[in-house]
Amino acid sequence: MLNERRQWREDDRFFRQEELTFRECDVHGRARTATLLSFLANGGAQDFEARGFTYEYLYGLRQVFLLSRIAFRVHRCPVAGETVTVSTWENGVRGAHMCRDYELLSEDGTPCVSGKSEWILVDPLDRRILRPSAFTGKELTASGRAADCPACRRIVLPGEGVEVLGEHPVAFSELDHNGHVYSGSYGDIIWDALPTDLQDADLREFQINYSREATRGETLTLLGCRQGDTYLMEGLCGTERSFSCACLFG
């Protein structure tokens, strides 16, 4: 039986407990990358919702947040049945991006996953990108605390050694309330396309760039490239890059 979820704030940090269910883990009982992405990305939304900034409220302002980049380091992968605490805090503005850091805490309080993310502010009606200074909901704060994780970076596949992995038609079940593929769903899309030995390997670090929304009726062409312990992948909608990622194993 699931434990009752608890959430709270301490200074500039938001905390929420989550229990890893059987469905959220892979064949080895480890949290799927899609699950880790979802826990981290949801943490920011839950932080805002707890302060009254629901999706509906932000939509009314014509100012919603879309995830642009996220990176995380796995210190220890949580497993099925484990209760973890998602901790998140705002970490300032960098250019057109609003930054947010994360820790996924074990029951003893030590981080098992550390993450960093960058978000853009978008008008949900015309999809126009807005400057962070245009946000009228609240002041965007900056913490002096940094997660133990590499900074988000731009990921581009090399010009040589890239293979076509196949095509992935966007499924209705992958869409979220914004009408595009949910950020966490990319974890499953990526892992289904990885070489078999890497699907079973231990993930150490993960980075993903969300470049273009993938929507209902579209098809992603998946390309990949292996570089030592790292596997690079991107998904194209036509000729446009929808996402690119780097998976470091070991």
Side-chain angles (χ1 to χ4, degrees):
M1 185 172 64
L2 288 176
N3 295 331
E4 182 181 357
R5 288 187 175 90
R6 295 179 55 241
Q7 63 182 42
W8 67 96
R9 291 192 64 82
E10 293 179 12
D11 300 322
D12 62 347
R13 298 178 73 178
F14 173 81
F15 298 83
R16 179 181 171 93
Q17 288 186 332
E18 302 281 358
E19 183 174 345
L20 273 166
T21 65
F22 196 73
R23 172 66 183 86
E24 293 167 321
C25 297
D26 65 13
V27 296
H28 303 288
R30 306 169 302 192
R32 302 195 331 271
T33 298
T35 300
L36 298 178
L37 281 172
S38 298
F39 278 176
L40 299 183
N42 283 345
Q46 291 158 348
D47 181 8
F48 265 55
E49 288 175 3
R51 290 184 278 177
F53 298 101
T54 63
Y55 177 84
E56 291 73 21
Y57 177 81
L58 294 174
Y59 193 96
L61 296 177
R62 293 185 62 173
Q63 298 178 337
V64 299
F65 295 96
L66 297 184
L67 187 56
S68 176
R69 298 174 180 176
I70 192 166
F72 63 78
R73 171 175 288 152
V74 180
H75 310 290
R76 178 192 65 81
C77 190
V79 296
E82 183 176 352
T83 297
V84 295
T85 300
V86 181
S87 170
T88 181
W89 59 95
E90 295 175 18
N91 221 350
V93 172
R94 188 170 76 171
H97 293 93
M98 291 146 290
C99 304
R100 176 177 285 274
D101 286 12
Y102 310 87
E103 285 181 337
L104 199 60
L105 304 172
S106 305
E107 293 187 49
D108 64 3
T110 59
C112 50
V113 178
S114 302
K116 296 180 180 180
S117 65
E118 296 181 357
W119 301 71
I120 55 173
L121 188 65
V122 174
D123 183 324
L125 300 184
D126 61 17
R127 285 320 203 232
R128 182 168 50 94
I129 297 176
L130 308 172
R131 300 292 297 178
S133 58
F135 184 56
T136 57
K138 60 175 287 295
E139 179 185 1
L140 299 172
T141 60
S143 171
R145 181 187 303 106
D148 180 12
C149 170
C152 297
R153 60 181 176 85
R154 184 169 177 261
I155 300 166
V156 179
L157 267 63
E160 298 180 350
V162 175
E163 58 180 337
V164 178
L165 304 174
E167 294 190 340
H168 177 87
V170 172
F172 178 77
S173 61
E174 294 170 333
L175 305 177
D176 64 16
H177 196 27
N178 285 310
H180 57 215
V181 175
Y182 174 60
S183 59
S185 296
Y186 285 92
D188 285 338
I189 294 171
I190 293 162
W191 251 251
D192 286 342
L194 281 174
T196 303
D197 64 313
L198 295 182
Q199 291 173 332
D200 292 318
D202 291 325
L203 179 67
R204 193 190 328 167
E205 292 178 2
F206 179 79
Q207 293 243 8
I208 185 168
N209 300 168
Y210 302 98
S211 304
R212 177 195 180 279
E213 297 173 281
T215 58
R216 191 175 186 176
E218 294 188 309
T219 296
L220 292 169
T221 300
L222 302 178
L223 308 175
C225 176
R226 194 163 188 163
Q227 296 182 334
D229 294 332
T230 299
Y231 198 87
L232 305 175
M233 190 184 300
E234 71 177 13
L236 304 178
C237 279
T239 59
E240 295 185 77
R241 183 183 298 113
S242 176
F243 78 89
S244 54
C245 72
C247 315
L248 174 63
F249 298 91

